[in-house]
Amino acid sequence: RILCDLRNSPIMPRASSQHADHSDMEYSMNPPGPIPQHLNKLLHVPPFSFLFYGSFWSFILLVASPLAGLVLIVMTLWKLARYVVLLPFGLADGRKIRPDAVGKDGKKNELAVLITGCDSGFGCDLTFELGRKGFVVFAGCLSKEAMNQFEGLSNIIPLKMDVTDEKEVENAVETVMNWLVEGPVQHADRHFHALVNNAGIGTGGRIDWLDLKPYRQNMEGEKALASSYFPNSLLKILLFGF
């Protein structure tokens, strides 16, 4: 709220003539015009300050909030009508992505998702949910024991992957790439649909008391996986069209 020009400030030493150009370039910040400054000063002086405050929040609560509620009601009714209309056609869930659809050329459409941190929790639940919806899921697990829970499921492929281990990340990427390349042979259009960087270390406590190592592991693991996959993915798209 305090606006000043550093070049004209009495506490700012004047630059010598030989450095005058450099000083002008460094302190090129100019204050706003007199009208905005006068308005800003006026709105911080009673009674204008509390009059403006009350008027602003009265508008938000009495006008903007009811309008937002009305828009929400209209959106809800629209979704309900859309659900009722699409229900007989089996499209009531509104999915635009159908991993089990058949294309115009008669080939089956297969969409793959790579998820990290599938030993338990969100990653494990998401793996089973996407598998039920028809996606091919590459489930990255930190331990070999956790991979056993996906045995017997044809469209869930467990992978031993520690996202901080460069070799295991490369092996996972190679597995996904091989699956993509094998698609045309099996009369299916295969696409890599999404990468879910879920793996991470959860540590409780005050942020200023925690060690930096978990933060580095979380960020470096996500960066390594994304950097390893996407350049290869772009190359496959350019060469094979998927």
Side-chain angles (χ1 to χ4, degrees), residues 55-68:
S55 301
F56 175 80
W57 285 108
S58 297
F59 174 81
I60 294 296
L61 297 176
L62 297 177
V63 180
S65 295
L67 287 177

Side-chain angles (χ1 to χ4, degrees), residues 16 18 25 32 40 51 59 63 70 77 128-129 133 157 178-179 186 212 230 234:
S16 61
Q18 59 181 348
M25 180 175 60
N40 179 68
L51 286 176
F59 174 81
V63 180
L70 181 61
L77 293 177
F128 284 116
E129 179 64 22
K133 289 182 178 294
I157 304 173
N178 291 337
W179 178 85
Q186 299 180 0
L212 288 176
F230 286 108
L234 179 60

